[in-house]
Amino acid sequence: MFKGSGLVASPVEERARYVYALSEELSRTINDIDGVLSARVHVVLPKNDLLRQDATPSSASVFIRHASNAKLSALLPQIKMLVANSIEGLSYDKVAVVFVPVERTQHEVSVTPAAASHESTRFVSAPIAIGAGGALGVLGILSCVLLSVRGGQLRQSWRKLMNRGSGASKPAVQSVGKKLSSDAK
């Protein structure tokens, strides 16, 4: 949604991402309430200048589609408090909540796209996570095997190099040693 144009995000981009993430997280939290079919939270965080006296207050609007048999209106104070306490500078009075009851037939309740996609992601995400973890495990094991094989090859090359070097220098060391011992006598 927010494609970066450069290496560093501008303050406007960062602010837009922050407001969007805040709205999405609050929507997701409200969606988890029993009886809620869908929820949207729209947050307004005005860009107030610290030097101005007449600052515009923050506000939020919450749209909740719910099953008609769910009595969510009793949760109105808790929902408003949740939103107001989640956003800096937002007062309880500046949160508006709209409830939209939806009559659902038995067929719609059993097979809803939102519920089906939500349930399918639960079952699909677990094998994907296991598959990704398994793939990383296999990659780690292969890396260890390759490093150990390569390390063995390097050790053999080092030994050959050292044996060549020590073999060539033995006669020179022995002759120097003999000369020193003969000079000492």
Side-chain angles (χ1 to χ4, degrees):
M1 179 172 183
F2 300 106
K3 294 182 180 179
S5 59
L7 293 175
V8 179
S10 72
V12 173
E13 287 174 324
E14 285 182 9
R15 184 174 177 78
R17 284 189 179 108
Y18 172 73
V19 170
Y20 177 76
L22 194 59
S23 298
E24 287 298 308
E25 285 301 312
L26 285 168
S27 296
R28 193 175 308 158
T29 301
I30 295 170
N31 272 322
D32 288 341
I33 298 172
D34 289 340
V36 172
L37 302 174
S38 66
R40 296 280 308 208
V41 178
H42 299 278
V43 177
V44 177
L45 296 175
K47 193 174 183 180
N48 289 323
D49 186 9
L50 296 174
L51 300 176
R52 288 182 59 191
Q53 294 294 332
D54 55 338
T56 306
S58 300
S59 62
S61 296
V62 182
F63 173 81
I64 300 175
R65 282 184 59 238
H66 64 89
S68 60
N69 59 352
K71 304 296 181 209
L72 294 181
S73 57
L75 295 176
L76 177 66
Q78 289 90 348
I79 292 170
K80 287 180 75 168
M81 188 64 72
L82 171 77
V83 174
N85 289 338
S86 298
I87 300 170
E88 184 180 356
L90 180 60
S91 68
Y92 181 87
D93 297 335
K94 290 291 186 176
V95 178
V97 179
V98 176
F99 291 106
V100 177
V102 176
E103 281 294 325
R104 305 193 65 158
T105 63
Q106 184 61 28
H107 177 62
E108 286 178 317
V109 171
S110 62
V111 184
T112 60
S117 68
H118 183 64
E119 289 300 317
S120 66
T121 55
R122 282 186 187 169
F123 294 115
V124 171
S125 63
I128 289 173
I130 291 169
L136 287 174
V138 169
L139 183 62
I141 291 169
L142 284 174
S143 298
C144 290
V145 168
L146 289 173
L147 286 173
S148 65
V149 168
R150 186 66 182 147
Q153 290 173 346
L154 288 173
R155 251 183 269 118
Q156 287 177 348
S157 298
W158 179 257
R159 284 184 187 144
K160 286 179 185 177
L161 182 64
M162 294 310 290
N163 286 339
R164 273 192 226 147
S166 64
S169 62
K170 273 186 183 177
V173 170
Q174 288 173 350
S175 65
V176 169
K178 286 180 185 176
K179 183 172 180 176
L180 288 174
S181 63
S182 64
D183 287 342
K185 291 181 186 180

